[in-house]
């Protein structure tokens, strides 16, 4: 079975995130190891790392992914790229220290410039960061995006192009975000649409490279290129793909992470929906 979980807050210490996830009954979790809206995420102290690892061992959480800073743009101008490379490198190092085997990354934005050259920058910067962190075993998962603004990575094909350009580095993978893919125009609301997506992942990147799923419904219309998260079943997607994914044996031990709104006990409710759907499929 895939590992069901949620993005949880690390307020009060990273170990607190584990406690929160465990209290929710999560089998997997996603965290920010540092404030995602700041550049200067420093190193971790031994105390922080130990407390996190200890909390994890005594919890039911089996796998953790970290989400890198929203400021990172490896496809941006030179100054942005320099800071982004450094920030991603530190994120990988912190994650490795914590025993986290994957970091989720937004592929970046051309900011209105030429998309092909933006992709070229992303590829060159990823090469640099992967080389600089080859003493770790933490991989980078490129997230599928909704295509808002000038973001790169709104199709599986485009992510495959980037991974191929990096010679199928074993530390590269994909984080498939159903809300984003729907926003980008994919018909993921039906069983057939979900199956087409999985086939496309299998064909273009290989299912073993799908290191994480992000799930939430989308407030917008299909193809509106909007990144607006909604509770499961309350947006344009409906419940169908979430139910199939929750029990899909092809994603055995893959984290399936809720990114639904937190208000009104959102995580409790959405996890309950997933467990129920898993039972029915
Ligand atoms: Zn993300
Ligand atoms: Zn999103």
């Amino acid at each position: 079975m895939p590992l069901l979980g949620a993005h949880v807050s690390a307020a009060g210490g990273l170990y607190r995130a584990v406690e929160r996830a465990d209290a929710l009954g999560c089998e997997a979790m996603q965290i920010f190891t540092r404030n995602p809206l700041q550049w200067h995420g420093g190193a971790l102290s031994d105390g922080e790392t130990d407390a996190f690892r200890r909390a994890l061992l005594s919890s039911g959480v089996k796998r953790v992914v970290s989400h890198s800073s929203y400021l990172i743009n490896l496809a941006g101008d030179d100054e942005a790229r320099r800071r982004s490379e450094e920030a991603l490198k530190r994120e990988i190092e912190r994650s490795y220290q914590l025993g986290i085997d994957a970091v989720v990354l937004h592929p970046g934005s051309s900011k209105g410039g030429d998309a092909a050259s933006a992709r070229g920058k992303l590829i060159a910067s990823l090469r640099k960061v992967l080389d600089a962190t080859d003493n770790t075993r933490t991989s980078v998962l490129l997230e599928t995006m909704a295509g808002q603004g000038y973001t790169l990575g709104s199709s599986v094909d485009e992510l495959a192009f980037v991974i191929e350009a990096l010679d199928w580095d074993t530390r590269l993978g994909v984080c498939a975000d159903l809300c984003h893919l729907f926003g980008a125009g994919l018909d993921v609301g039906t069983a057939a649409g979900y199956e087409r997506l999985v086939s496309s992942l299998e064909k273009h990147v290989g299912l073993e490279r799908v290191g994480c799923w992000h799930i939430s419904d989308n407030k917008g219309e299909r193809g509106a290129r909007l990144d607006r998260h909604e509770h499961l079943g309350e947006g344009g997607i409906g419940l169908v793909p979430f139910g199939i994914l929750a029990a899909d044996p092809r994603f055995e031990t893959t984290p399936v992470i809720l990114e639904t709104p937190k208000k009104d006990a959102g995580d409790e409710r959405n996890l309950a929906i997933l467990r129920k759907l898993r039972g029915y499929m």
Side-chain angles (χ1 to χ4, degrees), residues 106 143 145-146 148 177 179-180 214 216 227-229 259:
H106 291 183
E143 182 172 346
M145 304 305 287
Q148 70 279 24
D177 185 310
C179 169
H180 294 172
H214 278 173
S216 62
D227 180 7
R228 294 176 64 203
H229 299 202
E259 286 192 338

Side-chain angles (χ1 to χ4, degrees), residues 129-137 171:
V129 176
L130 287 168
D131 286 349
T133 54
D134 66 357
N135 56 331
T136 76
R137 279 188 297 279
R171 286 171 58 226

Side-chain angles (χ1 to χ4, degrees), residues 48-273:
E48 259 179 303
T49 308
D50 291 349
F52 180 84
R53 284 176 175 265
R54 241 180 293 123
L56 203 56
L57 280 174
S58 61
S59 78
V61 179
K62 297 185 186 74
R63 290 190 70 183
V64 186
V65 293
S66 81
H67 195 299
S68 55
S69 165
Y70 292 130
L71 301 178
I72 292 178
N73 184 11
L74 296 178
D77 61 36
D78 290 349
E79 175 60 13
R81 282 176 72 202
R82 192 190 57 73
R83 300 181 84 173
S84 298
E85 287 165 4
E86 184 60 26
L88 180 59
K89 178 173 167 280
R90 282 166 175 257
E91 181 65 46
I92 293 171
E93 288 166 350
R94 278 195 301 272
S95 296
Y96 185 58
Q97 242 182 300
L98 292 166
I100 298 173
D101 54 22
V103 169
V104 175
L105 173 74
H106 291 183
S109 169
S110 71
K111 302 268 183 194
D114 175 53
S117 82
R119 265 192 302 275
K121 291 180 189 173
L122 167 65
I123 290 161
S125 285
L126 275 173
R127 179 75 282 150
K128 249 195 194 168
V129 176
L130 287 168
D131 286 349
T133 54
D134 66 357
N135 56 331
T136 76
R137 279 188 297 279
T138 299
S139 58
V140 174
L141 305 177
L142 301 170
E143 182 172 346
T144 58
M145 304 305 287
Q148 70 279 24
Y150 298 98
T151 51
L152 301 177
S154 57
S155 71
V156 173
D157 287 31
E158 191 177 11
L159 298 186
F161 176 88
V162 171
I163 297 172
E164 161 123 57
L166 289 157
D167 302 320
W168 301 97
D169 190 298
T170 51
R171 286 171 58 226
L172 275 178
V174 166
C175 168
D177 185 310
L178 281 171
C179 169
H180 294 172
L181 287 163
F182 180 81
L186 238 60
D187 165 31
V188 294
T190 61
Y194 171 83
E195 205 45 50
R196 275 194 296 276
L197 167 62
V198 174
S199 302
S200 149
L201 286 165
E202 186 164 28
K203 176 168 169 231
H204 296 292
V205 296
L207 296 187
E208 68 288 350
R209 278 187 201 263
V210 180
C212 180
W213 287 84
H214 278 173
I215 56 167
S216 62
D217 212 322
N218 192 318
K219 274 194 182 101
E221 302 275 305
R222 173 155 79 94
R225 304 176 86 80
L226 287 176
D227 180 7
R228 294 176 64 203
H229 299 202
E230 182 54 285
H231 295 292
L232 302 183
E234 294 180 22
I237 300 179
L239 288 174
V240 172
F242 304 120
I244 303 173
L245 173 60
D248 194 331
R250 292 170 293 187
F251 300 105
E252 195 73 46
T253 74
T254 305
V256 172
I257 302 293
L258 280 168
E259 286 192 338
T260 42
K262 296 285 182 194
K263 61 175 170 14
D264 305 328
D267 287 334
E268 284 88 340
R269 286 200 293 130
N270 288 296
L271 280 165
I273 290 172

